[in-house]
Structures are given as structure tokens and as C-alpha cells.
């Protein structure tokens, strides 16, 4: 039996509120351009440019937020507040080609996340037709708060269907929207991702951000909130 060259890293894991259970993170899928007002502020036409799927490494997730290092190689570091859905145990489901209702039933819990972005590198990548990976999938680029169990959020008057989503920086309003304004609702996002890859337990899905994105600097304190979920606080390390 061969042994590992070095100990495999423990999985990144998210706490589930009201339980002593952790959700081990597998992969991170993200939606871009899923709120029309943000698509427009980024120079896209939401009637012509549909939402786009990209990824971050699972180990870019920073459970619970806290101090976040300012990343190297950027002069334009932007947070994007997002609703995050976590896929739970799936039983016999293989996660492929799901219909929206079936896909939504796989969600174990919801959290507030920040899709941290090197906006300058993203702009360069767009101009060059190059991949977004280093603009989006760098170290510590995905702070995520505690998960609220999906079973605690039944009905259409809260996440994932509707609810205020906001970001403040040093107490000043920065981003504000409503989950109901998503171009693709969460169930459709999950169905779409399942047509591209098989969804697996521990996959996280970031669902896009509303308008108001802008830069943050060392020392800034970011408060990300989705109505009905545990807030997420991040400080950019001084
Ligand atoms: Mn985003």
C-alpha cells in the first residue's frame, strides 16, 4: 500500500448553524453577470450577454471570514457580496442534467459569501480573451460565512428566492440588491451547472452580485449580509 509523500490537507469546512456538523467543501462554482444592474455597470448588456460560470479552487474558501490578506499583483481589489448555496449529501443522485426542482433539493444550506476579485487582472483577461482564473481564483478569494440549514428556510419569502443582499465598507453602504433580482434564480443556476459538470456533495455555488462594486484597501472592514442568513465580516489585513 503506497503512502502519501506528505499528509493530505484536511478539507476546508463550513459550520452549519444549530448543529455540531461541518460541511466539507469540494469545489466552488460562481455565476458572473447574474444581476442586470451589475452586468450593466461592468459594460455588458444583460439582454444579450447571459450569465457565465467560472470557478475558484475549494481551498480558496475562508470559513467565517476574519482577517484577509491583501492579495499580490493587484491595485484594484473588489469584494462582491453573494448568496452561496452548498450541496449536501446526494444519496444515489449522480448530479448530472438535473431539473431545477431536483437541483434545489440538493442544497444543504445557504451562506453569505464574498467573491473577492482582482478587477484589474479581470479587465486585462477580458481584453486579451484570456482565462479569469488569476482574477478570481487566487488564495483567500472566497470568504464564506456559516451555513443556515436549507430546512430552516422554507417558503418563498426568504433565501434563496428573495431577500435584501448588502455590502457595507467601514459602515458605509456599497452594494445593495435583492435575491429576487437574479437573472437566473438559484434552481436554474444549479440545473445549468449540472449540465456542465456533475454536482457533487460539498460543492459551493456563488450566485452573482448586485451593482455597486468598488475597491477596498488594507484596513477596510467589510460587512456582507443576506436577509435571513448569518452575516459575514472581513477585514482586509493592514
Ligand atoms: Mn461574483
Amino acid at each position: 500500500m503506497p503512502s502519501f509523500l506528505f499528509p493530505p490537507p484536511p478539507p476546508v469546512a463550513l459550520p452549519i448553524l444549530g448543529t455540531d456538523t461541518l460541511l466539507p467543501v469540494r469545489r466552488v462554482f460562481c455565476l458572473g453577470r447574474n444581476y442586470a444592474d451589475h452586468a450593466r455597470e461592468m459594460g455588458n448588456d444583460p439582454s444579450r450577454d447571459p450569465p457565465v460560470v467560472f470557478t475558484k479552487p475549494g481551498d480558496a474558501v475562508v470559513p467565517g471570514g476574519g482577517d484577509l490578506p491583501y492579495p499580490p499583483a493587484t491595485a484594484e481589489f473588489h469584494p462582491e457580496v453573494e448568496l452561496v448555496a452548498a450541496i449536501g449529501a446526494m444519496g444515489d443522485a449522480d448530479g448530472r442534467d438535473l431539473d431545477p426542482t431536483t437541483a434545489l433539493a440538493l442544497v444543504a444550506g445557504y451562506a453569505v459569501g464574498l467573491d473577492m476579485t482582482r478587477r484589474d487582472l479581470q479587465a486585462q483577461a477580458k481584453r486579451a480573451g484570456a482565462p479569469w482564473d488569476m482574477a478570481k481564483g487566487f488564495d483567500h478569494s472566497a470568504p464564506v460565512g456559516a451555513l443556515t440549514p436549507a430546512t430552516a428556510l422554507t417558503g418563498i419569502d426568504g433565501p434563496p428566492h428573495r431577500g435584501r443582499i448588502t455590502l457595507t465598507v467601514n459602515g458605509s453602504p456599497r452594494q445593495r440588491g435583492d435575491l429576487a433580482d437574479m437573472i437566473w434564480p438559484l434552481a436554474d443556476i444549479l440545473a445549468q451547472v449540472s449540465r456542465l459538470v456533475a454536482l457533487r456533495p460539498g460543492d459551493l455555488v456563488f450566485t452573482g452580485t448586485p451593482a455597486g462594486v468598488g475597491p477596498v484597501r488594507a484596513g477596510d472592514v467589510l460587512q456582507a449580509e443576506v436577509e435571513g442568513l448569518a452575516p459575514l465580516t472581513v477585514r482586509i489585513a493592514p
Side-chain angles (χ1 to χ4, degrees):
M1 182 76 174
S3 60
F4 290 112
L5 180 62
F6 52 85
V12 175
L14 296 173
I16 303 173
L17 290 172
T19 77
D20 55 5
T21 304
L22 300 173
L23 182 131
V25 172
R26 180 166 171 169
R27 297 172 296 184
V28 178
F29 299 98
C30 304
L31 262 278
R33 307 196 292 245
N34 199 30
Y35 289 77
D37 57 355
H38 173 64
R40 280 191 288 267
E41 78 178 345
M42 296 301 294
N44 297 105
D45 174 356
S47 70
R48 203 191 56 217
D49 306 313
V52 60
V53 180
F54 60 92
T55 63
K56 296 173 184 263
D59 66 2
V61 171
V62 182
D67 269 16
L68 208 68
Y70 193 99
T74 185
E76 216 179 333
F77 187 36
H78 284 201
E80 298 183 352
V81 60
E82 310 205 2
L83 171 71
V84 177
I87 303 297
M90 297 171 55
D92 294 334
D94 74 358
R96 294 173 212 275
D97 295 322
L98 301 168
D99 66 79
T101 304
T102 305
L104 196 59
L106 298 179
V107 175
Y110 297 98
V112 181
L114 286 168
D115 166 16
M116 302 304 296
T117 301
R118 288 161 160 158
R119 193 71 72 200
D120 43 0
L121 297 198
Q122 187 190 31
Q124 286 174 23
K126 286 179 176 177
R127 280 195 299 272
W132 289 11
D133 302 50
M134 292 300 104
K136 289 289 196 178
F138 50 94
D139 296 339
H140 316 289
S141 59
V144 179
L147 291 165
T148 295
T151 51
L153 296 171
T154 52
I156 61 164
D157 290 327
H161 306 289
R162 59 188 75 251
R164 195 173 55 248
I165 177 169
T166 58
L167 174 70
T168 65
V169 177
N170 302 324
S172 299
R174 179 71 70 90
Q175 291 186 266
R176 185 184 178 91
D178 195 286
L179 302 180
D181 295 332
M182 287 187 202
I183 294 171
W184 289 355
L186 176 63
D188 293 356
I189 295 170
L190 298 174
Q192 175 63 17
V193 173
S194 81
R195 289 193 277 272
L196 298 168
V197 294
L199 281 172
R200 302 302 304 157
D203 287 342
L204 303 185
V205 180
F206 280 61
T207 55
T209 201
V213 296
V216 291
R217 289 185 296 230
D220 285 348
V221 175
L222 288 48
Q223 177 86 358
E225 297 190 39
V226 171
E227 197 174 353
L229 302 182
L232 172 67
T233 304
V234 160
R235 184 179 67 147
I236 311 302

